[in-house]
Every structure is written in C-alpha cells, then in structure tokens.
Amino acid sequence: MAKILIVEDEKAINDLVRFNLELVGHECVQTFDGGSGLEEAMRVKYDLIILDVMLPKLSGFEIMECIEGTPTIFVTAKTGAQDRIKGLRLGADDYITKPFNIIELVERVKAVLRRTKSDGEVFEFDDIRIEFHTRRVYKGGEKVALKPREFDLLEVLVNNRNLALSREKLLNLVWEYDYEGDIRTVDAHIQRLRQKLGISDRIQTVYKTGYRFEI
Ligand code: CA
C-alpha cells in the first residue's frame, strides 16, 4: 500500500495513527518535531504526509511551504476557519481537527490516496482479487457480480481490515451519513458478501458491535 510520514509531537496520537494505518497495510515512519519531519520529508519520497500544525521547532505550515508535490493531510487541534483556509491554500489535500475519529482518518487517507495515486489499486487475498478502479471482483479468476452497495461495503471492510466496525459506522460509511436506514440492511449485505465470495471466515461478526474483515 502507501508509504506514509507522520509528523506529530503528541506521542500517543502519533502511535495511534501509525498503529491504525499499519493495520490496514500502510508503511509508516514517525517523526515528533517539525525539524526532523521536514528533514524526513525532503529525504524520502512519501505517498502521503500526516502533518500536525503546532509542532516544536517548525510548524506544520512552515513545513508545508518547503515541501512540494507530496499529498498532505493536516491534523491539528486548531479549529479556526482561518487555519483551515491557510492549510488548504498551502495545498493540503485534507484537514482534520482533533479530537478525530481514527476510522474517519483512515478513510480520509484512503480518499486522498485514491485521488493522488494514478495507478489502479488492486487487493488480493485467498482466491479473491478486488480491482478498485474498475470496481470488479474476481473469485478464482471468475467475475463475481456484486451490486454497487455490496462493492462499497466490501471496499470499506477491506480498507479498514482488522478493525471492528459497528453497524452504525458501516451504515454511515457505505450508505452516506444522512441515510435513515436500518442496521439490518448492513447484516443483509454482509450475508450476501459472505455467500457470493465464500468469505464467511474472513468477515467476522464482532459480538454486540458489528463486523471485522480479518486478514
Ligand atoms: Ca502538536
């Protein structure tokens, strides 16, 4: 997957971001102040930088002015519109304010990578091949007909693999935030995915919560 640089001085947050991005298959490098963050960003070509604004030595904004062409998501406690505007003007691809939901961060990372990585992404496991750019799924080389929502659900599960996702979260991510649906819709779609792809053991039910795609 992607090579991601995390520049964040709060160790607990830095570790949380790293842990969750690595869980979904990314390779992460951690830095804890602006100076070493900038040095690392100049030294290696990253697919994405997760950049805090308030940092020792150099601010995230100052770093942003020095690096060009690397997709960046600002993560900051500053909630003022002025800061958001400044961040976006400097060319940030997205802006997240603390406290943030870690699954939302993982999803936004995915969205930015999808926009910025030109090559189509493919995910393979067992005898399954998922092509995200064409939205096609193959099992043992044969195409599996998935409905659009089934594919969306599979994509969310794969992109958040090894994380427990509540039914409400899945409903929000797959059926959009304003969908006034029933969480049983999620169960029905999970059942169909399990059947069509023969991956009952991969999509695990998390007791009283929801589901986890385990790999
Ligand atoms: Ca900070």
Side-chain angles (χ1 to χ4, degrees):
M1 296 289 263
K3 202 168 161 62
I4 298 174
L5 174 64
I6 305 164
V7 190
E8 165 67 67
D9 59 318
E10 282 172 68
K11 188 169 187 304
I13 295 179
N14 198 318
D15 288 345
L16 178 78
V17 172
R18 178 198 178 161
F19 178 77
N20 283 278
L21 290 176
E22 286 188 346
L23 263 187
V24 299
H26 298 301
E27 185 191 328
C28 295
V29 170
Q30 295 173 288
T31 55
F32 299 90
D33 67 72
S36 50
L38 177 59
E39 213 170 276
E40 186 58 27
M42 307 285 266
R43 195 178 67 79
V44 177
K45 169 97 183 94
Y46 284 91
D47 296 314
L48 177 71
I49 302 176
I50 309 279
L51 187 55
D52 185 22
V53 173
M54 307 272 269
L55 287 162
K57 296 181 188 169
L58 274 179
S59 78
F61 290 147
E62 289 170 303
I63 293 175
M64 190 72 202
E65 282 169 6
C66 302
I67 49 171
E68 247 176 65
T70 306
T72 303
I73 297 178
F74 275 122
V75 181
T76 175
K78 291 190 146 196
T79 50
Q82 282 305 105
D83 285 313
R84 187 164 22 246
I85 291 163
K86 184 171 181 188
L88 293 171
R89 273 203 189 130
L90 284 170
D93 293 86
D94 207 343
Y95 199 106
I96 296 180
T97 50
K98 295 174 193 167
F100 57 86
N101 179 311
I102 190 66
I103 291 172
E104 187 186 347
L105 180 106
V106 171
E107 279 297 307
R108 293 215 193 180
V109 163
K110 184 193 92 184
V112 168
L113 289 173
R114 187 157 53 186
R115 282 204 301 273
T116 54
K117 279 187 130 180
S118 52
D119 53 338
E121 208 184 302
V122 170
F123 184 79
E124 289 177 304
F125 64 98
D126 304 337
D127 62 342
I128 309 280
R129 175 184 169 87
I130 305 168
E131 292 182 0
F132 294 107
H133 53 302
T134 58
R135 293 176 61 86
R136 285 190 183 144
V137 180
Y138 299 88
K139 180 175 174 61
E142 305 223 342
K143 196 174 159 214
V144 180
L146 291 187
K147 297 216 167 88
R149 288 299 192 206
E150 292 167 358
F151 185 88
D152 293 341
L153 177 61
L154 179 65
E155 187 174 21
V156 166
L157 288 169
V158 167
N159 283 314
N160 297 285
R161 54 190 169 276
N162 300 317
L163 299 176
L165 297 163
S166 69
R167 291 178 173 84
E168 290 78 11
K169 189 81 206 170
L170 288 168
L171 204 54
N172 285 344
L173 290 171
V174 176
W175 282 266
E176 308 303 329
Y177 285 86
D178 56 358
Y179 179 77
E180 302 226 337
D182 195 305
I183 53 172
R184 278 173 297 186
T185 308
V186 176
D187 296 333
H189 280 73
I190 289 279
Q191 288 315 323
R192 282 204 293 276
L193 272 186
R194 281 174 169 161
Q195 277 169 12
K196 286 183 175 180
L197 299 174
I199 51 170
S200 300
D201 53 330
R202 293 288 186 195
I203 303 179
Q204 302 207 333
T205 303
V206 182
Y207 181 62
K208 282 191 175 168
T209 306
Y211 299 97
R212 179 177 55 232
F213 178 70
E214 216 160 82
I215 196 113

